[in-house]
Amino acid sequence: MQQINKTSNIIPEEILQVPGSKTFSYSTYLADAFEAGILDIYRPQYQVPQAEINYEITEGTTESLNHIQIKDSQKWLNRKALLSKITKQIKPALKITDNRVFFDARYVFTDNVAHMIINVMPIAVHIARRTCPNINVILPENPKKFTLKVCELMGIPTLVTNQEVEGKLITFKNFQNSVVPDKFYRSTLELYDEVLAEKIDQLEYPTYKRVFIGRKGTRNITNEPEVEALLKEYGFTKVYYEDIPMEQQWLISKQAEVIVGIHGAAFGALMFNRAKVKVIEIFHPGYVVRSIRNITACVGGTWCGITGKLPDPFSEAALAANPREFAEAAMTVDVQSVKMALDYMAVEK
């Protein structure tokens, strides 16, 4: 069996320090009973522990990981149950006898560019660059084209199958704590830089110092022209990432100094930014999450948030029962809250 370098098969534990910041709301009478105003909300600092990831190569089948419990939506499933959801027919194990080593990523949500960049690629790239250049990532059948594109651009070959795989496998000493959560390891950023220097940096695409990332489909801004008009006064260029190659998306996110955009997968490429980026993230008020704030802190940038207009009617109880009720909902944004965010982040005309 191929021996892995014991001195480099560890991603050391880290504590991600996320600074305090602010979020600005849509104008509301919750701010002033007699005259609707924008809530200026302080978001305290917090820490995100990043567990040590210790991996090795073993001979066996991916079925040997079935004792590991994987969270799928609100239920915990073992890997065999999870694969059974993908395909009702569990075929015999696919036996691989060559020298490839496999990292099974089928327990991670891979149908999202950001999840690939912050869940799968930190480990895959570390393995490829530090210990085992013949690493392959296992993906489920019928992956999204952009999922494969992320692997291609990061220089990681893939094996697409719903079968169990027998051969040389990457295994982890603490799988649940070190692999499934989002990963914000500053020590892996230099590995991303190496990849981009080889694959992306030499490409000639337009990039922008100040960029407004719009969305055409779900989770869009209903009054986007108003927001765009204000941002143009500050020298922003609007871009729809749906309309441009992934290479250009990554270059834009890598080089931008200020980014305004709606929470979503487009922000995953912030992991490539080394420009001390300022991020203004726009949320539906029923779906506010921390992942992009964490990425911004990981790369040394600064962050603030904006929330849109509250839906009518709005039920806290319903949202508690289904935290993703508004995950795909469109939102209306108060342009004054955008102006307040720009001022707070010291973005001048």
Side-chain angles (χ1 to χ4, degrees), residues 115-240:
H115 283 272
M116 287 294 295
I117 294 173
I118 65 175
N119 288 95
V120 177
M121 288 297 116
I123 292 177
V125 172
H126 190 278
I127 295 170
R129 293 272 162 174
R130 290 288 184 261
T131 59
C132 189
N134 56 336
I135 182 73
N136 282 237
V137 167
I138 306 176
L139 298 173
E141 289 180 7
N142 303 312
K144 302 288 187 181
K145 289 182 180 179
F146 55 70
T147 301
L148 295 172
K149 188 66 175 180
V150 171
C151 294
E152 175 192 334
L153 293 180
M154 299 302 281
I156 307 295
T158 59
L159 174 65
V160 176
T161 181
N162 286 347
Q163 295 176 245
E164 300 289 358
V165 176
E166 179 181 352
K168 301 178 181 69
L169 307 175
I170 295 293
T171 58
F172 302 90
K173 289 193 174 179
N174 191 337
F175 182 97
Q176 191 63 48
N177 290 336
S178 64
V179 179
V180 175
D182 295 341
K183 287 168 278 298
F184 309 106
Y185 292 86
R186 287 182 169 170
S187 63
T188 65
L189 298 181
E190 63 181 285
L191 305 180
Y192 279 16
D193 291 344
E194 290 176 12
V195 172
L196 265 64
E198 296 171 5
K199 301 255 184 184
I200 303 293
D201 288 349
Q202 70 276 17
L203 299 177
E204 296 184 1
Y205 283 110
T207 60
Y208 315 100
K209 295 298 184 185
R210 297 182 177 187
V211 59
F212 171 37
I213 303 176
R215 284 177 67 110
K216 289 186 173 181
T218 59
R219 202 187 296 159
N220 60 4
I221 298 175
T222 60
N223 60 328
E224 184 179 284
E226 291 181 75
V227 176
E228 181 183 4
L230 173 65
L231 291 174
K232 277 186 176 180
E233 295 177 14
Y234 287 79
F236 282 79
T237 299
K238 184 174 74 172
V239 176
Y240 290 112

Side-chain angles (χ1 to χ4, degrees), residues 4-5 35 65 69 86 93 106 149 171 178 199 211 242 258 277 293 296 304 312 324 336:
I4 205 164
N5 186 340
E35 183 177 353
L65 303 177
Q69 297 295 302
I86 299 171
R106 290 175 293 185
K149 188 66 175 180
T171 58
S178 64
K199 301 255 184 184
V211 59
E242 303 100 308
V258 190
V277 64
R293 186 178 174 188
T296 306
C304 81
D312 185 20
R324 291 186 56 85
Q336 181 61 27

